[in-house]
Amino acid sequence: MNGWLLATLLTGVAVIVVIKRLRGEPVNARDLFAPPVILTALGLTSLAKTDHLTGPDLAWAGTGAALGCALGVLRGATIQLSERGGTLWQRYTGRTFVIAAASLLIMAAFGLLAEKMGMHAHARPLQLSIGISFLGEALAVGRRGMATGIPFAPERSRPWQRQGWMG
């Protein structure tokens, strides 16, 4: 897939997630973890298919993943959790956006440093960076949510489930 098309698609998905979370949304396990796990898996697949990866490329990629996950956990710590209708809800706060902006700057600086030190640009898949960051956020929100004792929202039924198309 074209790099610009992929970046546009991933940016669009991230914007939709941010808008939903800015307004507030129920927390359920599938919606919390599925998107970051899928993005991370796509990024790892892309990385695995990359030819001529070196040890330093993998070391920089691993370090970048750890940093991105840690920044996601930090962002997840700023998300407001509350109870609505007997289930857990999440909402982004102003601090969430401050951490998100700082994270973008930190990750951009890390990427520039990594390339300056010899990391190949193709060893940094965008979907891996976004997926790992959202995975860190999901881990923080999931852990904090479980600690509240408020039940997670039930899974939403899908159109094909409501109409009896599948199981």
Side-chain angles (χ1 to χ4, degrees), residues 2 8 17 66 154 165:
N2 177 318
T8 302
V17 168
W165 295 345

Side-chain angles (χ1 to χ4, degrees), residues 44-116:
L44 289 171
T45 301
S46 177
L47 191 61
K49 290 180 180 180
T50 301
D51 291 329
H52 310 297
L53 287 177
T54 65
D57 286 337
L58 294 175
W60 280 104
T63 304
L67 178 60
C69 187
L71 291 169
V73 167
L74 182 61
R75 190 174 60 247
T78 67
I79 294 173
Q80 177 186 24
L81 297 177
S82 61
E83 182 270 330
R84 285 192 203 169
T87 61
L88 187 65
W89 277 62
Q90 66 179 335
R91 188 172 141 320
Y92 278 9
T93 65
R95 289 183 345 147
T96 308
F97 288 104
V98 169
I99 297 296
S103 296
L104 287 172
L105 292 173
I106 291 167
M107 291 307 294
F110 178 83
L112 289 172
L113 176 64
E115 284 188 30
K116 194 80 157 161

